[in-house]
Amino acid sequence: MIRPDSKSRTEPRTSAASLADLLVEARSVTLDLVADLADEQLVGPMLRIVNPPLWEIGHVAWFQERWALSHLRGLAPSRPDGDALYDSAAVAHDTRWDLLLPSRQATLALMQEILDRVLDRLRSTPLDDEAVYFHLLPLFHEYMHAEALAYTRQTHGYPLPLLSPHPGANADTATAPAPTGGPLAGDVLVPSGRFLLGATPDGSFVFDNEKWAHPVDVPPFRIARAAVTNAEFAAFVDDGGYARERWWSAAGWQWRQQAHAEHPVYWEREVSGRWLHRRFDHHVALEPHLPVVHVSWYEAEAYCRWAGRRLPTEAEWEMAAAAEPAGDGTWRKRRFPWGDTPATPTHANLDWRARGCVEVGALPAGDSYFGCRQMMGNVWEWTATDFDPYPGFAVDPYKEYSQPWFGNHKVLRGGAWTTRALLIRNTWRNFYTPDRRDVWAGFRTCALFA
Ligand SMILES: [Fe+2]
């Protein structure tokens, strides 16, 4: 089981040795995520929401080679057909199951060969800012695909992955029970203010969709201290929430009908009436104080309408997570809800730490200035906001990361239990189409009036 480095950092140390350690550790997680899968599971059924795992792990290595070797150093690729197999921008999604992919053994050998070449160059070539960037880019890309492989395993009903201890693993937390905390009711009031939404140039790695911080005037609002729980969402389901069109937007109702959604996708009701939740390959009784998870944006929207609530905008979410008084009538921003220090196990459920979600009242040390809990980790949180570029957007070298997805995705914030601590921060924008239910996504709500 992977555990966070007890001395985990806000940003990766940028020596060649530390970058190499991070790349090796990320690769060990990727490999652990597929190690126990049978050959047919490595391909899996064709679904719009997942990739064949065999393709996905090869793609991760291809991406690393593309940026850290070909782009940065002008080196020739390992395979002449690498782009034709693994370039996600060029290989249509539904054709990835038909590719003549290398075997598992050959794929693993290719991945090791590429990683070895990257590590050799890291050791032998001076590291400048550009080189740091083009090693962090594939590192963070690999982190994101590790999370995708995890929800692929959930989607297909494969077992919870058991990740190996790795260099820097924190033995203290490896056997610790999941923290508890019960529910956490109530709202906090966030006063109006001019807030700088987005990332501020400070030398840290940042993706193009976070650039750059720009002022937004946010009216006062009340936002929940915690994410919506299973018990709260079950009340909506049990009240016939999925059967009443009045709670759904037109698009949401259309989605509900097409998806035949009657409840969250992994819920099942026993004859006794008790709700079960499928967690990877087995069912557990629905835990009332865990956040509702694997719900689409449409389901979140319908719940809000039923509850007389609304989703926060992404500016409201970021303000509730990041703002603290500067002392001169303005707001300063924290990198994380609890401050600027890196996450520890008492702050946030990240890095696969609890092997699943924890109760929404747990981890009070991670509260934001306003008292919102778990804005980092546990579950991604849908916001009301469409994924659009910030003013002055300019595309970064990895041009397929953000730009193709503007306009028809919704923004999610905060990261889930499978998200790596080195990846996430208050300004991080994730994005999915509003129909997705496979992601570890839940939501918190705002009052209709402040
Ligand atoms: Fe990718």
Side-chain angles (χ1 to χ4, degrees), residues 59 63 88 141 145 398:
H59 163 77
F63 189 93
S88 51
H141 175 261
H145 275 285
Y398 176 21

Side-chain angles (χ1 to χ4, degrees), residues 184-238:
L184 183 67
D187 291 344
V188 299
L189 172 66
V190 180
S192 64
R194 173 158 286 202
F195 177 70
L196 281 176
L197 177 66
T200 306
D202 63 359
S204 302
F205 183 100
V206 63
F207 278 101
D208 52 11
N209 64 51
E210 291 167 82
K211 300 178 188 175
W212 286 115
H214 56 285
V216 291
D217 290 315
V218 181
F221 62 98
R222 290 185 187 275
I223 186 167
R225 295 195 68 197
V228 172
T229 64
N230 281 325
E232 290 168 328
F233 202 88
F236 166 63
V237 179
D238 293 340

Side-chain angles (χ1 to χ4, degrees), residues 43-48 50-52 55-56 83-101:
V43 179
M46 186 172 80
L47 296 175
R48 187 176 57 81
V50 298
N51 284 302
W55 178 88
E56 191 154 11
D83 290 359
L85 290 174
Y86 296 121
D87 184 351
S88 51
V91 182
H93 178 265
D94 59 359
T95 67
R96 293 173 191 169
W97 281 262
D98 303 324
L99 295 167
L100 288 174
L101 292 172

Side-chain angles (χ1 to χ4, degrees), residues 9 12 15-31 60 64-65 68 73 111-112 114-123 127 131-143 420 422:
R9 301 156 297 278
S15 71
S18 61
L19 270 177
D21 287 348
L22 291 167
L23 293 170
V24 168
E25 190 269 349
R27 180 56 47 82
S28 78
V29 172
T30 302
L31 297 179
V60 161
Q64 185 176 60
E65 179 176 69
R73 307 193 191 282
M111 295 171 74
Q112 189 63 51
I114 291 172
L115 181 59
D116 286 344
R117 289 177 66 207
V118 169
L119 297 176
D120 281 348
R121 292 286 168 159
L122 254 180
R123 292 188 190 104
L127 200 62
V132 169
Y133 181 90
F134 286 113
H135 286 84
L136 288 177
L137 176 62
L139 174 72
F140 294 151
H141 175 261
E142 189 152 357
Y143 285 168
R420 302 306 305 269
L422 281 180

